[in-house]
Amino acid sequence: MKFFKLPTQIHKFNDFKTFAEEFQIGENDLVLTHQFLFDPFMKALDLKADFIMQEKYGVGEPSDEMIDEILAEVVDKPYKRIIAIGGGSVIDIAKLLIFKDGKNALDMFEKRIDFIKDKELIIVPTTCGTGSEVTNISIAEIKSKHTKMGLAIDELYADYAVLVPELIKGLPYKFFVFSSIDALIHAIESYVSPNANDFTQMISVKAIEMLLKGYIEIIEKGEDYRQELLEDFAVASNYAGIAFGNTGVGAVHALSYPLGGTYHVPHGEANYQFFTEVFKTYNRIDPNGKIKALNTFLASLLNVDETEVYDAIEKVLDKLLSKKALKEYGMKEEEIESFTDSVLEKQQRLLANNYVPLSREEILNIYKNLY
């Protein structure tokens, strides 16, 4: 039984310039990033690498169409390193640029190619949520299937993950909140996963503690106070990524994928909608397994009774950003059935990581309660 794996080296620098010098970014490097990051942090350094701006190929989260356009431009060029500098979308795309014969996203997600990695992968996250810099997972919207798909293979682990808190300073408050809530969900889903062990739970607990304490401070001192906590949130997101990279995530992510794929709801925001409702369902079905220790820990952090922890988390998160009803995104009532069927048909990889199995009726009820 695999206990723990982390093939990625983790580095941390105070500023981008120091990272660029230490890693000698230059010829034979392809940097995938955004113009709004390139202009303030990279342009003046006159780096000799090739730069691609993700937004040139479309906005929002990655789709197979977007990925295919980028692949067509880069797959036959002699790059030795792919460097992702951005949020989850940039990272998910960059992970698919490292293969010798990767020319079609759907072929990769359906595992129809030989995954021969012929380039190093360096990931520099610029949000505090995905943890994708230390996972072996890439996720994209598959337009023809009207959902998201995930590819999880060890070749997708980065060779180097680099934390540069300076790059998070310009992250707007809304995206800071949604991305870090995603990290909180990663840590909490990981804690109760069937694949969790003492080592992963130790890391999950530290991530949860750093994130919830940070939220409470931001609520007390104002949203601008997040700037004082950027290093803590970057590290906590990394911890959460290490944890769920070893254990997987479950129903929160699985239920969010049809919403995100159909109505283009950003990943962290979509997960936020389902988080506490899924865990209330878990707790009702089996309050005495791994979730019992989690509830005790959460209750101590939030200073509430164990029976109130998920209501208390909702209150904390709602003070940061209010949660919407699913219908506010455009979801139709008749889609409750089709979304449920989509989860059961297409997300078994994630559902296998559930704390407890969820029946079709239970998944249906979660959608109904949130609609």
mmCIF file of all heavy atoms in Angstrom, residues 194-213:
data_model
loop_
_atom_site.group_PDB
_atom_site.id
_atom_site.type_symbol
_atom_site.label_atom_id
_atom_site.label_comp_id
_atom_site.label_asym_id
_atom_site.label_seq_id
_atom_site.Cartn_x
_atom_site.Cartn_y
_atom_site.Cartn_z
ATOM 1 N N PRO A 194 -10.810 7.713 1.925
ATOM 2 C CA PRO A 194 -10.402 6.342 2.275
ATOM 3 C C PRO A 194 -8.900 6.132 2.134
ATOM 4 O O PRO A 194 -8.342 5.211 2.753
ATOM 5 C CB PRO A 194 -11.167 5.470 1.272
ATOM 6 C CG PRO A 194 -12.297 6.310 0.804
ATOM 7 C CD PRO A 194 -11.829 7.720 0.853
ATOM 8 N N ASN A 195 -8.235 6.977 1.339
ATOM 9 C CA ASN A 195 -6.796 6.845 1.123
ATOM 10 C C ASN A 195 -5.965 7.640 2.117
ATOM 11 O O ASN A 195 -4.732 7.613 2.053
ATOM 12 C CB ASN A 195 -6.444 7.317 -0.297
ATOM 13 C CG ASN A 195 -7.193 6.544 -1.357
ATOM 14 O OD1 ASN A 195 -7.241 5.325 -1.312
ATOM 15 N ND2 ASN A 195 -7.789 7.245 -2.310
ATOM 16 N N ALA A 196 -6.625 8.360 3.030
ATOM 17 C CA ALA A 196 -5.896 9.176 4.002
ATOM 18 C C ALA A 196 -5.145 8.295 4.984
ATOM 19 O O ALA A 196 -5.542 7.171 5.285
ATOM 20 C CB ALA A 196 -6.868 10.099 4.746
ATOM 21 N N ASN A 197 -4.040 8.818 5.482
ATOM 22 C CA ASN A 197 -3.283 8.136 6.532
ATOM 23 C C ASN A 197 -2.741 9.193 7.497
ATOM 24 O O ASN A 197 -2.992 10.392 7.317
ATOM 25 C CB ASN A 197 -2.157 7.276 5.936
ATOM 26 C CG ASN A 197 -1.225 8.078 5.044
ATOM 27 O OD1 ASN A 197 -0.686 9.103 5.448
ATOM 28 N ND2 ASN A 197 -1.026 7.621 3.798
ATOM 29 N N ASP A 198 -2.013 8.765 8.504
ATOM 30 C CA ASP A 198 -1.541 9.707 9.517
ATOM 31 C C ASP A 198 -0.709 10.834 8.917
ATOM 32 O O ASP A 198 -0.784 11.988 9.354
ATOM 33 C CB ASP A 198 -0.706 8.972 10.569
ATOM 34 C CG ASP A 198 -1.543 8.072 11.463
ATOM 35 O OD1 ASP A 198 -2.777 8.222 11.450
ATOM 36 O OD2 ASP A 198 -0.965 7.223 12.160
ATOM 37 N N PHE A 199 0.073 10.511 7.911
ATOM 38 C CA PHE A 199 0.953 11.509 7.307
ATOM 39 C C PHE A 199 0.137 12.557 6.544
ATOM 40 O O PHE A 199 0.324 13.758 6.723
ATOM 41 C CB PHE A 199 1.953 10.824 6.370
ATOM 42 C CG PHE A 199 3.210 11.608 6.166
ATOM 43 C CD1 PHE A 199 4.324 11.404 6.975
ATOM 44 C CD2 PHE A 199 3.291 12.563 5.170
ATOM 45 C CE1 PHE A 199 5.483 12.142 6.789
ATOM 46 C CE2 PHE A 199 4.442 13.306 4.975
ATOM 47 C CZ PHE A 199 5.550 13.098 5.782
ATOM 48 N N THR A 200 -0.773 12.113 5.690
ATOM 49 C CA THR A 200 -1.575 13.074 4.922
ATOM 50 C C THR A 200 -2.491 13.876 5.837
ATOM 51 O O THR A 200 -2.715 15.068 5.609
ATOM 52 C CB THR A 200 -2.405 12.373 3.839
ATOM 53 O OG1 THR A 200 -3.348 11.469 4.434
ATOM 54 C CG2 THR A 200 -1.519 11.601 2.875
ATOM 55 N N GLN A 201 -3.030 13.239 6.880
ATOM 56 C CA GLN A 201 -3.920 13.961 7.787
ATOM 57 C C GLN A 201 -3.163 15.029 8.577
ATOM 58 O O GLN A 201 -3.708 16.100 8.865
ATOM 59 C CB GLN A 201 -4.614 12.980 8.724
ATOM 60 C CG GLN A 201 -5.687 12.156 8.016
ATOM 61 C CD GLN A 201 -6.391 11.186 8.944
ATOM 62 O OE1 GLN A 201 -5.790 10.633 9.868
ATOM 63 N NE2 GLN A 201 -7.664 10.969 8.702
ATOM 64 N N MET A 202 -1.917 14.741 8.922
ATOM 65 C CA MET A 202 -1.100 15.745 9.603
ATOM 66 C C MET A 202 -0.952 16.999 8.737
ATOM 67 O O MET A 202 -1.080 18.134 9.222
ATOM 68 C CB MET A 202 0.279 15.161 9.909
ATOM 69 C CG MET A 202 1.284 16.143 10.495
ATOM 70 S SD MET A 202 2.915 15.396 10.730
ATOM 71 C CE MET A 202 3.429 15.174 9.026
ATOM 72 N N ILE A 203 -0.736 16.799 7.445
ATOM 73 C CA ILE A 203 -0.582 17.924 6.530
ATOM 74 C C ILE A 203 -1.923 18.629 6.331
ATOM 75 O O ILE A 203 -2.002 19.870 6.307
ATOM 76 C CB ILE A 203 0.002 17.441 5.193
ATOM 77 C CG1 ILE A 203 1.390 16.840 5.419
ATOM 78 C CG2 ILE A 203 0.086 18.587 4.191
ATOM 79 C CD1 ILE A 203 1.956 16.133 4.208
ATOM 80 N N SER A 204 -3.004 17.860 6.193
ATOM 81 C CA SER A 204 -4.343 18.447 6.051
ATOM 82 C C SER A 204 -4.680 19.340 7.240
ATOM 83 O O SER A 204 -5.202 20.454 7.069
ATOM 84 C CB SER A 204 -5.405 17.346 5.932
ATOM 85 O OG SER A 204 -5.289 16.632 4.738
ATOM 86 N N VAL A 205 -4.417 18.849 8.423
ATOM 87 C CA VAL A 205 -4.747 19.592 9.643
ATOM 88 C C VAL A 205 -4.028 20.943 9.664
ATOM 89 O O VAL A 205 -4.617 21.977 10.010
ATOM 90 C CB VAL A 205 -4.389 18.744 10.881
ATOM 91 C CG1 VAL A 205 -4.266 19.611 12.124
ATOM 92 C CG2 VAL A 205 -5.449 17.678 11.101
ATOM 93 N N LYS A 206 -2.759 20.948 9.281
ATOM 94 C CA LYS A 206 -2.011 22.209 9.282
ATOM 95 C C LYS A 206 -2.580 23.180 8.270
ATOM 96 O O LYS A 206 -2.725 24.383 8.548
ATOM 97 C CB LYS A 206 -0.532 21.935 8.975
ATOM 98 C CG LYS A 206 0.354 23.168 9.130
ATOM 99 C CD LYS A 206 0.309 23.707 10.560
ATOM 100 C CE LYS A 206 1.203 24.937 10.705
ATOM 101 N NZ LYS A 206 1.094 25.529 12.061
ATOM 102 N N ALA A 207 -2.952 22.676 7.091
ATOM 103 C CA ALA A 207 -3.547 23.547 6.072
ATOM 104 C C ALA A 207 -4.865 24.131 6.562
ATOM 105 O O ALA A 207 -5.124 25.340 6.414
ATOM 106 C CB ALA A 207 -3.752 22.766 4.777
ATOM 107 N N ILE A 208 -5.726 23.289 7.120
ATOM 108 C CA ILE A 208 -7.031 23.742 7.619
ATOM 109 C C ILE A 208 -6.846 24.817 8.685
ATOM 110 O O ILE A 208 -7.516 25.865 8.660
ATOM 111 C CB ILE A 208 -7.833 22.556 8.189
ATOM 112 C CG1 ILE A 208 -8.194 21.564 7.071
ATOM 113 C CG2 ILE A 208 -9.096 23.046 8.900
ATOM 114 C CD1 ILE A 208 -8.672 20.216 7.586
ATOM 115 N N GLU A 209 -5.944 24.578 9.608
ATOM 116 C CA GLU A 209 -5.701 25.527 10.694
ATOM 117 C C GLU A 209 -5.240 26.878 10.150
ATOM 118 O O GLU A 209 -5.754 27.937 10.542
ATOM 119 C CB GLU A 209 -4.650 24.959 11.638
ATOM 120 C CG GLU A 209 -4.306 25.872 12.804
ATOM 121 C CD GLU A 209 -3.226 25.279 13.696
ATOM 122 O OE1 GLU A 209 -2.329 24.594 13.164
ATOM 123 O OE2 GLU A 209 -3.280 25.505 14.903
ATOM 124 N N MET A 210 -4.273 26.876 9.229
ATOM 125 C CA MET A 210 -3.748 28.130 8.684
ATOM 126 C C MET A 210 -4.833 28.902 7.929
ATOM 127 O O MET A 210 -4.933 30.125 8.049
ATOM 128 C CB MET A 210 -2.556 27.838 7.760
ATOM 129 C CG MET A 210 -1.337 27.295 8.486
ATOM 130 S SD MET A 210 -0.014 26.767 7.351
ATOM 131 C CE MET A 210 0.621 28.367 6.830
ATOM 132 N N LEU A 211 -5.642 28.191 7.161
ATOM 133 C CA LEU A 211 -6.665 28.849 6.350
ATOM 134 C C LEU A 211 -7.787 29.419 7.213
ATOM 135 O O LEU A 211 -8.179 30.588 7.059
ATOM 136 C CB LEU A 211 -7.218 27.869 5.322
ATOM 137 C CG LEU A 211 -6.220 27.457 4.225
ATOM 138 C CD1 LEU A 211 -6.706 26.212 3.499
ATOM 139 C CD2 LEU A 211 -5.992 28.595 3.238
ATOM 140 N N LEU A 212 -8.322 28.622 8.139
ATOM 141 C CA LEU A 212 -9.437 29.112 8.959
ATOM 142 C C LEU A 212 -8.998 30.250 9.882
ATOM 143 O O LEU A 212 -9.722 31.240 10.050
ATOM 144 C CB LEU A 212 -10.037 27.959 9.762
ATOM 145 C CG LEU A 212 -10.953 27.008 8.982
ATOM 146 C CD1 LEU A 212 -11.458 25.892 9.879
ATOM 147 C CD2 LEU A 212 -12.141 27.758 8.364
ATOM 148 N N LYS A 213 -7.806 30.131 10.469
ATOM 149 C CA LYS A 213 -7.319 31.226 11.316
ATOM 150 C C LYS A 213 -7.107 32.492 10.491
ATOM 151 O O LYS A 213 -7.398 33.605 10.946
ATOM 152 C CB LYS A 213 -6.025 30.810 12.017
ATOM 153 C CG LYS A 213 -6.251 29.833 13.173
ATOM 154 C CD LYS A 213 -4.962 29.538 13.926
ATOM 155 C CE LYS A 213 -5.226 28.670 15.144
ATOM 156 N NZ LYS A 213 -3.980 28.347 15.891
#
